[in-house]
Amino acid sequence: MFVRRLVFFYVCLWRPFLNVTLPDDTILDLPETSTIADAAAAIGPGLARMAIAGRVTHHNQCEVFDLNRVLPGDCRLEIFTAKDDAPDSLLVLRHSAAHIMAEAICKLFPTAKLVYGPPLEDGFYYDIDLDQSITPDDFPRIEAEMSRIIKENRPFCRYELPRERAMTKLGDEGNRYKIDNAQRAEGDSLSFYVTGSQREGHFEDLCRGPHIPSTKLVKAIKILQVSRSHYRGDVNDQPLQRVYGTAFFKKSSLTDYLERMEEAKKRDHRVLGKELDLFTISDQVGSGLVLWQPNGAVVRTELQNFLTIEMKKLGYQMVYTPHVGHLDLYRCSGHYPYYEDSQYPAMFETERGKAIQSALQLAKRIQKLPENDRTRGLESIVVATEAIAHAWGKVDGLDPNTPLDKTIEYLYAALSEEPGYLLRPMNCPHHILLYASKLRSYRDLPFRLAEYGTVYRFEQSGEISGITRVRGFTQDDAHLFCTPDQLADELLATVNLTKKVLSVLGLTDYSVRLGMRDAAVDKYVGSDENWTKAEAAIREAAKASGVDYTEEQGEAAFYGPKIDFVVKDCIGRKWQLGTVQADYNLPERFKLSYIGSDNAQHRPVMVHRAPFGSMERFVGILIEHFAGAFPLWLSPVQVGITTVSDKSKTFALELYARLQADGLRVKLDMTSEKIGPKKHRFRQAKVNYILVVGEKEMESQTVNVNDRDGQVLGNVSVDGFIQQCREEIDSKGLHQVAIA
């Protein structure tokens, strides 16, 4: 017995342990082969029962692991539990629900080919290649099959294969989408997930994970809709069916969610926008390009007027800049070609540039094809590049045997000197050149420029939605150029301006997110020193403004960290709206300078700021937040006048002219219909106040005031009504018309 105890002592003494740091900085000592489940059990049995996955940070790399994956070494660990108020936990649950739905669809539609199925903030989807349409009539039987899988309480089991073996396996299965996904994946091995304890007879899918421990954790699931999509957003590729669903840990959460979605349907800005005649989107103009109707233009103009007044108080100067700029401008800023896939194609001036661009677009399209389908495409690339060589000279580096990836690289290099233009994706390069148009002194700073500038992004067709996700949108953009010593005050002022804008509109339920750089990602420009200073500055500005905030790595803009306001609307949906960004890097790229008090040149710092963000998106969100019933100062039609009979028409016309002269937006209905239907039409149009005028009102020079909710407020003098409306407008709704 003594010897056995001695052996056990030495095993424990020399056994390697991991240091696992928890969010409260407590450190667990665990054996090196421990899993997240082991860590949860070491903390306590309650957590062990509730744990579903965990976020592991190891060597500055952050990844969410399954409960039973072995920890990679000394690390920080945040354990996720089965809670519907935890967004990270819901993402893991919904990723697993997507697999369950995919299995059910494959069972019911055996010819279905799976593409990919990511989780979303509110649910999940799976893209399916299927030669027959899935319709809402199919949803009940798909859900029934999903329920059967869930009741079987099957575990989600991960296994890995070396890349070569995995590619052979996928090649044998013959799903081109999975082959393409695997080719794009990084690493020497690929992971698969089986919905079951053993591979034989159970559904499996190529997947990075993570997943919940077993299907039984999905307590509530619902298929929501099916729509059309295309593989990787390419409209020239195979059309797909995108099946959406959602899932929760509790049935009551699903019930609440569906109720919110019903309310959201009533508030849908696309429906209300048409009913209230706010905007139009026409296929003849183009998808994602908004035509503002006069009513919508009123809302947008009033928002801009309000913000312009506030900006002028703070010393901003309004400017106008072109909708298009030379490619060299965006090459210098870094927007081109690094963000080319989300921009409209460049407009090259020379025939050589146009030809190289065509060859490049062809090469990139061929690159998206599975390897087996590339042969004919590669031949066409050779023909195109040889034609370019014959007409304008050989492209450096290219020959008929150049690999496709290198061909794309050489074509980009050839285009890098070609002159051309680009629909502007951002306003900041234009404002930078306004600053650089003359020598600046420290006495000129801060130099604050603002513009309602329209920019253009070539969003994928499947991602466009009404006016909240569009291809042409106007930013309430401003750029401030200041000395490093002025940066803190300028950031604080812009944060406070954003807070005021949201407060005036009643959007006071928001959180603040600081988007920081992820040092492990190479998309960011500039030195570590500049990033450190910029991140410290936005952190201090957030603290000084008094807002509660969180920090998120990897959410920074490519040139600098940012402060984002994430607003919750009246039915609980979250929207990222106002943003403030600190930028040391674009002034560096453009070699901006000012003459300091020491008579030497110094580099300014930039602040990018947009309280609304996109005017289109902001108005779309406001339509849904207010359900189309705008506050008086924003309403397209503020007052409706309706007559009881022909006898009061003269007074109605005089009243109409009087209200218009006092700056109110008025509509007049003198039709011979009864008063009830006329009032109903005004209420349907969300007109704030409805004035009924009859013989009595004409004699007393008063108006009978009704609100859009159907309440009769009573009679008041015309002057009294106008005065109260003006108070309500000027106070942005703090004072409302109330008839004594």
Side-chain angles (χ1 to χ4, degrees):
M1 178 67 70
F2 173 76
V3 173
R4 287 172 60 188
R5 287 181 178 175
L6 189 63
V7 169
F8 178 77
F9 171 76
Y10 277 108
V11 168
C12 291
L13 184 64
W14 295 105
R15 189 173 172 187
F17 274 76
L18 305 176
N19 289 331
V20 179
T21 305
L22 302 177
D24 63 357
D25 290 330
T26 300
I27 296 178
L28 294 179
D29 290 325
L30 298 174
E32 68 172 354
T33 57
S34 295
T35 63
I36 293 175
D38 295 328
I43 296 170
L47 183 60
R49 287 192 299 272
M50 289 289 289
I52 63 163
R55 180 181 288 110
V56 176
T57 304
H58 176 65
H59 291 164
N60 293 321
Q61 297 291 320
C62 186
E63 186 177 354
V64 178
F65 276 23
D66 303 317
L67 199 61
N68 294 315
R69 277 187 70 180
V70 174
L71 296 169
D74 293 347
C75 60
R76 292 191 70 89
L77 173 62
E78 179 186 356
I79 297 175
F80 301 163
T81 56
K83 293 183 178 180
D84 285 330
D85 59 356
D88 290 321
S89 299
L90 284 176
L91 284 176
V92 178
L93 176 79
R94 288 163 176 169
H95 192 178
S96 303
H99 277 230
I100 294 170
M101 184 180 74
E103 178 179 351
I105 289 173
C106 288
K107 176 75 178 295
L108 298 172
F109 302 90
T111 60
K113 291 183 180 178
L114 301 178
V115 184
Y116 36 54
L120 305 169
E121 183 178 351
D122 285 335
F124 58 86
Y125 70 80
Y126 218 114
D127 278 353
I128 310 288
D129 183 350
L130 182 62
D131 55 6
Q132 67 182 97
S133 295
I134 296 175
T135 71
D137 292 339
D138 297 311
F139 292 177
R141 63 192 188 110
I142 297 173
E143 289 174 353
E145 182 63 23
M146 293 168 72
S147 297
R148 183 189 65 78
I149 296 167
I150 291 168
K151 288 177 182 176
E152 290 180 356
N153 190 19
R154 290 195 244 148
F156 285 91
C157 296
R158 175 190 178 100
Y159 73 92
E160 295 186 7
L161 292 176
R163 174 172 286 275
E164 187 174 345
R165 283 183 57 194
M167 295 306 301
T168 300
K169 165 185 163 58
L170 293 170
D172 292 341
E173 293 172 357
N175 183 330
R176 77 161 175 112
Y177 307 108
K178 296 299 179 181
I179 293 171
D180 188 33
N181 290 339
Q183 288 170 342
R184 295 169 184 271
E186 298 177 352
D188 298 327
S189 63
L190 297 174
S191 58
F192 298 79
Y193 277 83
V194 181
T195 313
S197 57
Q198 55 188 11
R199 292 178 58 184
E200 291 75 16
H202 284 139
F203 174 83
E204 68 173 69
D205 199 3
L206 173 73
C207 182
R208 292 182 58 188
H211 287 284
I212 56 177
S214 71
T215 59
K216 73 173 183 179
L217 286 170
V218 184
K219 301 298 185 184
I221 197 163
K222 184 73 175 176
I223 297 179
L224 302 173
Q225 62 175 326
V226 59
S227 64
R228 183 184 178 91
S229 66
H230 289 86
Y231 187 51
R232 300 200 177 278
D234 186 349
V235 295
N236 298 305
D237 208 327
Q238 175 68 25
L240 306 170
Q241 297 180 71
R242 178 167 292 180
V243 186
Y244 289 90
T246 194
F248 292 90
F249 291 106
K250 295 192 300 184
K251 290 182 180 178
S252 59
S253 298
L254 176 61
T255 300
D256 292 344
Y257 173 80
L258 294 176
E259 289 175 355
R260 290 197 306 273
M261 291 305 100
E262 280 302 310
E263 181 63 25
K265 286 181 183 178
K266 299 174 187 176
R267 296 168 176 265
D268 190 330
H269 76 278
R270 294 165 295 186
V271 176
L272 289 173
K274 184 175 182 179
E275 290 177 356
L276 301 177
D277 208 20
L278 298 171
F279 62 85
T280 297
I281 297 176
S282 167
D283 289 339
Q284 287 180 284
V285 174
S287 180
L289 300 171
V290 182
L291 298 169
W292 291 91
Q293 297 280 10
N295 281 351
V298 167
V299 179
R300 174 172 163 166
T301 300
E302 289 297 329
L303 287 169
Q304 292 180 184
N305 289 345
F306 159 62
L307 182 58
T308 301
I309 290 170
E310 295 301 320
M311 287 193 297
K312 287 183 177 179
K313 292 177 186 176
L314 296 171
Y316 287 78
Q317 301 177 79
M318 302 302 297
V319 297
Y320 296 95
T321 59
H323 290 222
V324 64
H326 200 281
L327 278 173
D328 285 344
L329 176 64
Y330 304 109
R331 286 168 178 146
C332 183
S333 70
H335 291 101
Y336 184 86
Y338 307 110
Y339 297 90
E340 183 184 18
D341 289 342
S342 61
Q343 298 167 0
Y344 277 87
M347 298 168 280
F348 286 95
E349 292 184 84
T350 66
E351 295 304 317
R352 180 177 185 270
K354 294 173 185 176
I356 294 174
Q357 181 185 42
S358 296
L360 177 61
Q361 290 171 340
L362 178 60
K364 290 175 68 177
R365 174 154 170 69
I366 293 167
Q367 190 181 41
K368 294 180 180 179
L369 298 175
E371 287 189 10
N372 296 338
D373 298 337
R374 290 183 182 177
T375 303
R376 289 181 59 189
L378 292 173
E379 292 173 357
S380 65
I381 286 291
V382 171
V383 171
T385 54
E386 287 183 344
I388 292 170
H390 178 74
W392 299 285
K394 183 180 177 181
V395 174
D396 288 345
L398 281 186
D399 62 54
N401 298 315
T402 304
L404 183 59
D405 290 348
K406 281 292 182 183
T407 296
I408 292 173
E409 180 182 328
Y410 294 142
L411 289 171
Y412 266 123
L415 278 181
S416 65
E417 300 298 327
E418 289 291 328
Y421 290 84
L422 184 70
L423 279 172
R424 64 178 174 189
M426 296 292 283
N427 298 305
C428 40
H430 294 245
H431 291 186
I432 287 171
L433 293 193
L434 284 172
Y435 175 90
S437 63
K438 67 178 185 178
L439 186 64
R440 307 284 175 183
S441 162
Y442 71 97
R443 294 187 181 89
D444 300 322
L445 306 185
F447 184 62
R448 307 179 185 98
L449 299 179
E451 176 181 14
Y452 298 103
T454 303
V455 297
Y456 301 89
R457 313 277 175 83
F458 196 74
E459 300 285 0
Q460 302 297 334
S461 59
E463 296 175 345
I464 293 171
S465 177
I467 63 174
T468 58
R469 190 74 179 265
V470 291
R471 286 176 169 167
F473 55 94
T474 303
Q475 293 179 309
D476 58 318
D477 225 348
H479 297 93
L480 297 77
F481 302 84
C482 61
T483 70
D485 291 341
Q486 295 168 336
L487 179 61
D489 288 341
E490 292 305 303
L491 285 172
L492 179 58
T494 56
V495 170
N496 287 337
L497 175 60
T498 304
K499 289 170 61 180
K500 182 172 185 177
V501 167
L502 296 177
S503 175
V504 163
L505 290 160
L507 299 171
T508 55
D509 187 0
Y510 57 78
S511 59
V512 174
R513 179 181 64 210
L514 306 191
M516 303 299 202
R517 178 181 65 153
D518 182 349
V521 178
D522 61 2
K523 77 171 186 177
Y524 305 103
V525 299
S527 68
D528 291 343
E529 178 187 1
N530 281 345
W531 275 94
T532 299
K533 290 188 290 187
E535 289 181 344
I538 68 161
R539 193 178 288 116
E540 286 305 311
K543 287 180 182 177
S545 71
V547 298
D548 294 327
Y549 64 88
T550 59
E551 296 187 17
E552 293 194 26
Q553 303 300 314
E555 291 298 319
F558 77 92
Y559 46 76
K562 58 181 181 173
I563 304 172
D564 287 334
F565 285 74
V566 181
V567 176
K568 185 183 290 186
D569 68 14
C570 60
I571 59 172
R573 296 170 302 179
K574 292 182 178 180
W575 306 89
Q576 193 273 300
L577 294 179
T579 187
V580 178
Q581 302 165 2
D583 179 9
Y584 281 81
N585 291 312
L586 286 184
E588 191 77 35
R589 292 176 77 98
F590 281 91
K591 296 180 171 48
L592 300 184
S593 66
Y594 66 90
I595 303 301
S597 58
D598 58 359
N599 214 31
Q601 286 196 347
H602 299 272
R603 191 79 73 208
V605 187
M606 278 183 71
V607 175
H608 307 243
R609 163 278 46 186
F612 294 140
S614 151
M615 298 303 300
E616 284 75 8
R617 187 166 184 265
F618 196 84
V619 171
I621 291 167
L622 285 185
I623 292 170
E624 298 193 0
H625 180 69
F626 291 122
F630 292 106
L632 187 63
W633 68 282
L634 283 180
S635 279
V637 181
Q638 297 167 319
V639 182
I641 302 172
T642 180
T643 52
V644 174
S645 67
D646 290 347
K647 295 179 180 179
S648 55
K649 280 186 177 181
T650 301
F651 178 54
L653 288 168
E654 292 172 355
L655 179 62
Y656 177 78
R658 171 74 187 281
L659 296 181
Q660 276 200 320
D662 277 283
L664 294 172
R665 295 185 286 274
V666 195
K667 193 168 184 179
L668 177 62
D669 186 348
M670 298 193 300
T671 59
S672 58
E673 285 184 273
K674 291 184 177 180
I675 197 69
K678 293 198 282 187
K679 288 166 65 175
H680 177 72
R681 275 200 299 273
F682 278 133
R683 288 197 296 269
Q684 290 293 103
K686 313 292 185 184
V687 175
N688 299 67
Y689 297 110
I690 305 162
L691 306 184
V692 179
V693 293
E695 290 182 68
K696 174 185 172 183
E697 285 76 25
M698 183 172 61
E699 290 174 3
S700 62
Q701 293 293 291
T702 63
V703 288
N704 182 260
V705 184
N706 299 244
D707 68 18
R708 60 187 166 200
D709 295 324
Q711 299 295 314
V712 178
L713 303 182
N715 280 56
V716 67
S717 69
V718 175
D719 288 342
F721 175 73
I722 291 173
Q723 180 183 346
Q724 290 198 51
C725 283
R726 183 50 54 199
E727 289 175 358
E728 183 172 344
I729 291 167
D730 292 344
S731 70
K732 300 295 185 288
L734 291 180
H735 303 287
Q736 293 187 320
V737 172
I739 309 306

